[in-house]
Amino acid sequence: MYEYEVTNRIPLLFALSTCPRCNRMKKFLQDNGVNAKIIDVDLLPLEEKKKHFRFLLASNPTLAFPTLLVGNVAVIGEDYDGAKEALNL
């Protein structure tokens, strides 16, 4: 799951569609011109949601949202400084 994106450091944002913090992180990425793949996990079918949770557990054991994954670096929550560093902004 997402091997291509992780290997090529394509930013992945795992979010919840109704989460204000997630929406602010989406706006942050948009405002900074970051072309991230955004996955609203809560909108996925149940089996896909389970697969995403299992994938996220490796880098985010608390399953907190938003989670920005850039390569093997996970930025959890509204850590904009961490996001800038991971994205080389």
Side-chain angles (χ1 to χ4, degrees):
M1 176 175 270
Y2 298 115
E3 290 88 4
Y4 178 81
E5 289 84 355
V6 171
T7 299
N8 292 289
R9 295 186 45 84
I10 295 171
L12 296 166
L13 179 66
F14 297 92
L16 300 175
S17 64
T18 59
C19 163
R21 291 173 291 153
C22 299
N23 290 329
R24 287 191 292 269
M25 183 58 82
K26 290 174 188 175
K27 182 169 181 353
F28 168 83
L29 295 174
Q30 183 180 23
D31 289 349
N32 284 282
V34 176
N35 189 18
K37 182 170 186 167
I38 297 173
I39 303 102
D40 284 317
V41 177
D42 60 319
L43 300 180
L44 297 172
L46 182 59
E47 287 305 314
E48 283 297 308
K49 196 180 303 185
K50 288 179 182 176
K51 288 179 186 175
H52 281 76
F53 283 148
R54 282 193 294 271
F55 175 78
L56 278 173
L57 279 172
S59 57
N60 179 2
T62 62
L63 292 177
F65 292 95
T67 298
L68 177 65
L69 193 61
V70 184
N72 292 321
V73 176
V75 179
I76 299 167
E78 283 187 287
D79 180 1
Y80 299 110
D81 289 336
K84 286 178 182 176
E85 185 175 333
L87 295 164
N88 296 320
L89 294 177

